[in-house]
Amino acid sequence: MARITAGVATSHVPLLGVGIDQGKMEEDYFKPIYAGYEWSKRWIADPENKPDVVILVYNDHATAFDMNLIPTFAIGCAEEFQPADEGWGRRPVPVVKNDADFAWHLAQSLILDEFDMTIINKMDVDHGLTVPLSLMFGQPAEWPVKVVPLAVNVVTYPPPSGNRCYALGEAIRNAVESYDKDLKVQVWGTGGMSHQLQGPRAGLINKEWDQRFLDDLTADPLRLRHIPHIEYLRETGSEGIETVMWLIMRGALGGDVKELHRHYHVPGSNTAVGHIVLEAAP
Ligand code: DHB
Ligand code: FE
Protein backbone atom coordinates (compact mmCIF):
# COMPACT_ATOMS: atom_id res chain seq x y z
CA MET A 1 0.00 0.00 0.00
CA ALA A 2 1.11 3.57 -0.67
CA ARG A 3 1.34 5.83 2.37
CA ILE A 4 1.87 9.45 3.24
CA THR A 5 4.93 9.84 5.43
CA ALA A 6 5.39 13.59 5.78
CA GLY A 7 4.31 17.01 4.66
CA VAL A 8 6.45 19.96 3.63
CA ALA A 9 5.32 23.55 3.18
CA THR A 10 7.35 26.37 1.74
CA SER A 11 7.02 29.76 0.10
CA HIS A 12 7.88 29.70 -3.63
CA VAL A 13 9.35 33.19 -4.17
CA PRO A 14 10.77 33.34 -7.74
CA LEU A 15 13.83 35.30 -6.57
CA LEU A 16 14.86 32.27 -4.49
CA GLY A 17 14.98 30.23 -7.70
CA VAL A 18 17.09 32.93 -9.35
CA GLY A 19 19.46 32.97 -6.34
CA ILE A 20 20.09 29.22 -6.76
CA ASP A 21 20.27 29.29 -10.58
CA GLN A 22 22.78 32.17 -10.55
CA GLY A 23 24.96 30.84 -7.71
CA LYS A 24 24.15 33.64 -5.25
CA MET A 25 23.47 31.36 -2.28
CA GLU A 26 26.41 32.67 -0.23
CA GLU A 27 25.50 36.33 -0.69
CA ASP A 28 24.50 38.23 2.46
CA TYR A 29 20.93 38.76 1.30
CA PHE A 30 20.28 35.11 0.45
CA LYS A 31 22.39 33.23 2.99
CA PRO A 32 20.02 33.41 5.98
CA ILE A 33 17.08 32.44 3.75
CA TYR A 34 18.71 29.31 2.32
CA ALA A 35 20.20 28.42 5.72
CA GLY A 36 16.69 27.51 6.90
CA TYR A 37 16.51 24.80 4.22
CA GLU A 38 19.78 23.06 5.12
CA TRP A 39 18.13 20.81 7.70
CA SER A 40 15.36 19.91 5.24
CA LYS A 41 17.80 19.09 2.42
CA ARG A 42 19.70 16.70 4.70
CA TRP A 43 16.45 15.20 6.02
CA ILE A 44 14.95 14.51 2.60
CA ALA A 45 18.23 13.13 1.20
CA ASP A 46 18.25 10.46 3.96
CA PRO A 47 16.90 7.21 2.41
CA GLU A 48 14.73 6.77 5.53
CA ASN A 49 12.80 9.91 4.60
CA LYS A 50 13.15 10.31 0.86
CA PRO A 51 9.74 9.83 -0.78
CA ASP A 52 9.16 8.05 -4.08
CA VAL A 53 6.56 10.60 -5.08
CA VAL A 54 5.66 14.14 -4.03
CA ILE A 55 2.10 15.38 -4.52
CA LEU A 56 3.08 19.00 -5.03
CA VAL A 57 0.25 21.44 -4.28
CA TYR A 58 0.97 24.79 -5.88
CA ASN A 59 -0.60 27.58 -7.87
CA ASP A 60 0.00 28.56 -11.45
CA HIS A 61 0.60 32.32 -11.85
CA ALA A 62 -1.15 32.97 -15.18
CA THR A 63 1.52 30.83 -16.88
CA ALA A 64 -0.28 27.66 -18.01
CA PHE A 65 -3.73 29.06 -17.21
CA ASP A 66 -5.07 32.56 -17.75
CA MET A 67 -8.42 34.32 -17.60
CA ASN A 68 -9.67 31.99 -20.35
CA LEU A 69 -9.42 28.93 -18.13
CA ILE A 70 -9.35 28.87 -14.33
CA PRO A 71 -9.62 25.40 -12.76
CA THR A 72 -10.18 25.48 -9.00
CA PHE A 73 -8.38 22.15 -8.44
CA ALA A 74 -6.41 20.47 -11.22
CA ILE A 75 -4.18 17.38 -11.29
CA GLY A 76 -1.34 16.74 -13.72
CA CYS A 77 -1.59 13.28 -15.29
CA ALA A 78 0.99 13.66 -18.09
CA GLU A 79 4.29 11.75 -18.08
CA GLU A 80 6.33 14.94 -17.67
CA PHE A 81 6.12 18.71 -17.38
CA GLN A 82 8.63 21.25 -18.72
CA PRO A 83 9.70 24.22 -16.59
CA ALA A 84 7.82 27.23 -17.97
CA ASP A 85 9.24 30.29 -19.66
CA GLU A 86 7.88 33.07 -17.46
CA GLY A 87 9.44 35.83 -19.54
CA TRP A 88 13.17 35.25 -18.95
CA GLY A 89 13.51 31.83 -20.59
CA ARG A 90 12.98 28.46 -18.91
CA ARG A 91 14.66 27.96 -15.53
CA PRO A 92 17.75 25.74 -15.93
CA VAL A 93 16.19 22.94 -13.88
CA PRO A 94 15.38 19.33 -14.78
CA VAL A 95 12.14 18.34 -16.45
CA VAL A 96 9.53 17.31 -13.87
CA LYS A 97 8.69 13.59 -14.19
CA ASN A 98 5.34 12.30 -13.01
CA ASP A 99 4.21 8.88 -11.82
CA ALA A 100 1.33 8.98 -14.29
CA ASP A 101 -0.31 5.69 -13.18
CA PHE A 102 -0.41 6.99 -9.63
CA ALA A 103 -1.68 10.41 -10.77
CA TRP A 104 -4.53 8.78 -12.73
CA HIS A 105 -5.38 6.69 -9.68
CA LEU A 106 -5.50 9.87 -7.56
CA ALA A 107 -7.69 11.60 -10.17
CA GLN A 108 -10.10 8.66 -10.22
CA SER A 109 -10.27 8.31 -6.45
CA LEU A 110 -10.73 12.06 -5.85
CA ILE A 111 -13.40 12.48 -8.53
CA LEU A 112 -15.35 9.43 -7.36
CA ASP A 113 -14.98 10.89 -3.86
CA GLU A 114 -16.82 13.96 -5.25
CA PHE A 115 -13.89 16.36 -5.70
CA ASP A 116 -14.30 17.56 -9.29
CA MET A 117 -10.66 17.68 -10.33
CA THR A 118 -9.65 19.05 -13.72
CA ILE A 119 -7.32 16.58 -15.47
CA ILE A 120 -4.28 18.09 -17.17
CA ASN A 121 -2.44 16.18 -19.89
CA LYS A 122 -0.15 18.96 -21.10
CA MET A 123 1.22 21.83 -19.05
CA ASP A 124 4.37 23.80 -18.30
CA VAL A 125 5.05 24.36 -14.60
CA ASP A 126 6.07 27.75 -13.24
CA HIS A 127 8.02 28.98 -10.20
CA GLY A 128 5.17 27.89 -7.92
CA LEU A 129 6.26 24.28 -8.52
CA THR A 130 9.94 24.48 -9.47
CA VAL A 131 11.20 26.81 -6.72
CA PRO A 132 10.10 24.47 -3.89
CA LEU A 133 11.90 21.59 -5.67
CA SER A 134 15.09 23.69 -5.86
CA LEU A 135 14.84 24.71 -2.20
CA MET A 136 14.51 21.08 -1.10
CA PHE A 137 16.87 19.36 -3.58
CA GLY A 138 19.33 22.01 -4.78
CA GLN A 139 20.64 21.55 -8.32
CA PRO A 140 20.57 17.83 -9.25
CA ALA A 141 20.82 16.62 -12.87
CA GLU A 142 17.42 14.92 -12.39
CA TRP A 143 14.84 15.54 -9.66
CA PRO A 144 15.24 12.60 -7.25
CA VAL A 145 11.45 12.12 -6.86
CA LYS A 146 8.43 11.78 -9.10
CA VAL A 147 6.08 14.75 -8.85
CA VAL A 148 2.30 14.86 -9.22
CA PRO A 149 1.40 18.53 -9.81
CA LEU A 150 -1.80 19.59 -8.06
CA ALA A 151 -2.74 23.13 -9.06
CA VAL A 152 -5.11 25.32 -7.03
CA ASN A 153 -6.65 28.59 -8.12
CA VAL A 154 -5.57 31.30 -5.68
CA VAL A 155 -5.02 33.91 -8.37
CA THR A 156 -8.59 34.90 -9.24
CA TYR A 157 -11.47 35.35 -6.81
CA PRO A 158 -13.04 33.07 -5.58
CA PRO A 159 -10.34 30.63 -4.48
CA PRO A 160 -11.47 27.50 -2.61
CA SER A 161 -12.09 27.84 1.14
CA GLY A 162 -9.61 26.61 3.73
CA ASN A 163 -12.14 24.03 4.84
CA ARG A 164 -12.50 22.68 1.30
CA CYS A 165 -8.72 22.57 0.92
CA TYR A 166 -8.39 20.62 4.17
CA ALA A 167 -11.12 18.19 3.05
CA LEU A 168 -9.33 17.69 -0.28
CA GLY A 169 -6.23 16.80 1.74
CA GLU A 170 -8.22 14.19 3.64
CA ALA A 171 -9.48 12.76 0.34
CA ILE A 172 -5.90 12.66 -0.97
CA ARG A 173 -4.93 10.55 2.03
CA ASN A 174 -7.72 8.07 1.24
CA ALA A 175 -6.70 8.07 -2.41
CA VAL A 176 -3.05 7.36 -1.55
CA GLU A 177 -3.96 4.59 0.87
CA SER A 178 -6.11 2.86 -1.75
CA TYR A 179 -3.16 2.55 -4.19
CA ASP A 180 -1.80 -0.96 -4.07
CA LYS A 181 1.86 -0.22 -4.87
CA ASP A 182 4.31 0.30 -2.01
CA LEU A 183 5.02 4.00 -2.45
CA LYS A 184 6.35 6.48 0.05
CA VAL A 185 4.48 9.72 -0.61
CA GLN A 186 4.92 13.25 0.66
CA VAL A 187 2.42 16.05 0.19
CA TRP A 188 3.83 19.56 -0.19
CA GLY A 189 1.91 22.78 0.24
CA THR A 190 3.57 25.79 -1.34
CA GLY A 191 3.15 29.56 -1.65
CA GLY A 192 2.59 32.16 1.06
CA MET A 193 3.18 33.34 3.62
CA SER A 194 2.03 36.96 4.02
CA HIS A 195 2.78 39.09 0.98
CA GLN A 196 1.23 41.70 -1.26
CA LEU A 197 2.89 42.45 -4.60
CA GLN A 198 0.74 45.33 -5.77
CA GLY A 199 -1.13 48.52 -4.88
CA PRO A 200 -0.75 50.85 -1.91
CA ARG A 201 -0.18 47.99 0.57
CA ALA A 202 2.62 46.37 -1.53
CA GLY A 203 5.25 44.92 0.80
CA LEU A 204 2.76 44.07 3.56
CA ILE A 205 4.03 41.35 5.90
CA ASN A 206 2.35 40.12 9.10
CA LYS A 207 4.78 38.14 11.24
CA GLU A 208 2.36 37.56 14.13
CA TRP A 209 -0.33 36.13 11.87
CA ASP A 210 2.18 33.90 10.05
CA GLN A 211 3.69 32.57 13.30
CA ARG A 212 0.26 31.70 14.66
CA PHE A 213 -0.56 29.88 11.43
CA LEU A 214 2.68 27.88 11.72
CA ASP A 215 1.94 27.07 15.39
CA ASP A 216 -1.61 25.97 14.66
CA LEU A 217 -0.67 23.56 11.88
CA THR A 218 0.11 21.27 14.82
CA ALA A 219 -1.75 22.91 17.74
CA ASP A 220 -5.13 23.83 16.24
CA PRO A 221 -5.69 22.92 12.57
CA LEU A 222 -9.46 23.24 13.16
CA ARG A 223 -9.01 27.00 13.62
CA LEU A 224 -7.08 27.21 10.35
CA ARG A 225 -9.85 25.39 8.43
CA HIS A 226 -12.25 28.20 9.23
CA ILE A 227 -10.16 31.29 8.48
CA PRO A 228 -12.26 33.23 5.94
CA HIS A 229 -10.82 34.65 2.72
CA ILE A 230 -11.33 38.20 3.95
CA GLU A 231 -8.97 37.55 6.87
CA TYR A 232 -6.22 36.30 4.54
CA LEU A 233 -6.72 39.42 2.43
CA ARG A 234 -6.78 41.93 5.29
CA GLU A 235 -4.11 40.37 7.48
CA THR A 236 -1.73 38.77 4.98
CA GLY A 237 -2.04 40.88 1.84
CA SER A 238 -3.52 40.12 -1.55
CA GLU A 239 -1.16 37.20 -2.27
CA GLY A 240 -1.25 35.82 1.30
CA ILE A 241 -4.20 33.64 0.21
CA GLU A 242 -1.58 31.29 -1.31
CA THR A 243 -1.11 30.00 2.25
CA VAL A 244 -4.54 28.30 2.03
CA MET A 245 -2.81 25.60 -0.07
CA TRP A 246 -0.85 24.51 3.00
CA LEU A 247 -4.16 23.20 4.38
CA ILE A 248 -4.34 20.59 1.61
CA MET A 249 -0.97 19.31 2.81
CA ARG A 250 -2.13 19.42 6.45
CA GLY A 251 -5.42 17.63 5.73
CA ALA A 252 -3.50 14.84 4.00
CA LEU A 253 -1.34 14.16 7.06
CA GLY A 254 -4.20 12.99 9.31
CA GLY A 255 -4.82 13.63 13.02
CA ASP A 256 -1.84 14.32 15.24
CA VAL A 257 1.30 15.39 13.44
CA LYS A 258 4.77 16.17 14.70
CA GLU A 259 6.63 19.32 13.74
CA LEU A 260 10.14 18.35 12.68
CA HIS A 261 11.50 21.66 11.42
CA ARG A 262 10.48 25.28 10.93
CA HIS A 263 12.02 28.33 9.26
CA TYR A 264 10.69 31.87 8.96
CA HIS A 265 12.57 34.77 7.38
CA VAL A 266 11.46 38.28 6.45
CA PRO A 267 11.69 39.32 3.71
CA GLY A 268 12.56 37.23 0.67
CA SER A 269 11.79 39.58 -2.19
CA ASN A 270 8.36 40.93 -1.11
CA THR A 271 7.37 37.87 0.86
CA ALA A 272 7.54 36.44 4.36
CA VAL A 273 9.39 33.19 3.64
CA GLY A 274 7.86 30.37 5.66
CA HIS A 275 8.84 26.71 5.70
CA ILE A 276 7.75 23.77 7.85
CA VAL A 277 8.27 20.01 7.84
CA LEU A 278 5.62 17.84 9.50
CA GLU A 279 5.65 14.10 10.17
CA ALA A 280 2.35 12.46 9.22
CA ALA A 281 0.10 10.75 11.75
CA PRO A 282 0.72 6.97 11.73
C1 DHB B 1 6.84 36.93 -5.14
C2 DHB B 1 6.19 35.97 -4.38
C3 DHB B 1 5.33 35.05 -4.97
O1 DHB B 1 4.62 34.08 -4.29
C4 DHB B 1 5.15 35.06 -6.34
O2 DHB B 1 4.37 34.12 -6.90
C5 DHB B 1 5.79 36.02 -7.12
C6 DHB B 1 6.64 36.95 -6.51
C7 DHB B 1 7.77 37.92 -4.52
O3 DHB B 1 7.83 38.04 -3.30
O4 DHB B 1 8.49 38.58 -5.27
FE1 FE C 1 3.14 33.01 -5.71
Side-chain angles (χ1 to χ4, degrees):
M1 186 182 91
R3 65 199 166 89
I4 295 175
T5 54
V8 172
T10 177
S11 305
H12 60 214
V13 181
L15 182 66
L16 299 185
V18 174
I20 294 170
D21 298 344
Q22 299 186 359
K24 296 177 191 287
M25 293 185 71
E26 293 301 317
E27 290 186 5
D28 290 349
Y29 181 84
F30 288 104
K31 209 170 170 172
I33 300 177
Y34 296 126
Y37 291 86
E38 282 308 314
W39 183 91
S40 311
K41 286 164 86 170
R42 281 196 307 276
W43 170 81
I44 205 164
D46 181 337
E48 278 282 299
N49 306 317
K50 192 186 120 352
D52 302 300
V53 187
V54 170
I55 301 172
L56 204 158
V57 179
Y58 79 110
N59 68 290
D60 178 85
H61 301 73
T63 304
F65 311 133
D66 59 25
M67 288 306 279
N68 289 310
L69 177 69
I70 307 167
T72 300
F73 295 123
I75 182 164
C77 294
E79 292 291 340
E80 58 180 46
F81 306 90
Q82 295 292 336
D85 180 350
E86 297 180 60
W88 296 270
R90 295 181 194 275
R91 283 193 65 209
V93 293
V95 63
V96 173
K97 306 262 192 196
N98 197 359
D99 181 336
D101 287 343
F102 180 56
W104 275 106
H105 166 82
L106 293 176
Q108 170 178 293
S109 176
L110 292 172
I111 291 167
L112 297 183
D113 209 3
E114 301 176 355
F115 286 83
D116 306 317
M117 310 299 290
T118 297
I119 293 167
I120 311 169
N121 288 316
K122 184 167 174 32
M123 174 173 72
D124 288 354
V125 286
D126 74 10
H127 67 271
L129 185 137
T130 61
V131 169
L133 287 170
S134 299
L135 290 169
M136 292 297 293
F137 295 120
Q139 294 178 292
E142 301 286 338
W143 296 123
V145 292
K146 300 279 177 68
V147 177
V148 181
L150 199 153
V152 180
N153 168 42
V154 289
V155 168
T156 305
Y157 189 82
S161 69
N163 195 47
R164 188 67 176 156
C165 286
Y166 201 99
L168 175 60
E170 293 174 323
I172 289 172
R173 186 177 174 102
N174 289 335
V176 169
E177 291 181 352
S178 65
Y179 193 61
D180 57 10
K181 278 200 197 133
D182 254 343
L183 288 183
K184 253 202 292 192
V185 180
Q186 286 184 6
V187 181
W188 293 10
T190 71
M193 298 189 85
S194 54
H195 63 303
Q196 169 141 350
L197 302 177
Q198 61 213 313
R201 296 202 308 164
L204 181 147
I205 278 172
N206 186 341
K207 285 188 197 171
E208 291 71 30
W209 195 99
D210 289 342
Q211 295 292 353
R212 225 180 134 213
F213 190 97
L214 289 165
D215 290 344
D216 283 348
L217 282 168
T218 47
D220 191 2
L222 194 60
R223 180 183 77 82
L224 303 184
R225 287 179 86 141
H226 297 293
I227 297 173
H229 288 141
I230 195 70
E231 179 175 331
Y232 285 97
L233 185 66
R234 286 197 182 118
E235 297 291 330
T236 76
S238 51
E239 277 68 47
I241 186 64
E242 287 183 346
T243 316
V244 81
M245 293 185 288
W246 295 26
L247 297 183
I248 298 177
M249 174 278 284
R250 180 61 188 86
L253 299 187
D256 288 334
V257 301
K258 188 170 153 201
E259 181 176 325
L260 299 178
H261 176 67
R262 183 195 293 204
H263 174 48
Y264 186 79
H265 180 91
V266 170
S269 185
N270 297 295
T271 298
V273 177
H275 169 47
I276 201 162
V277 180
L278 301 173
E279 191 173 80

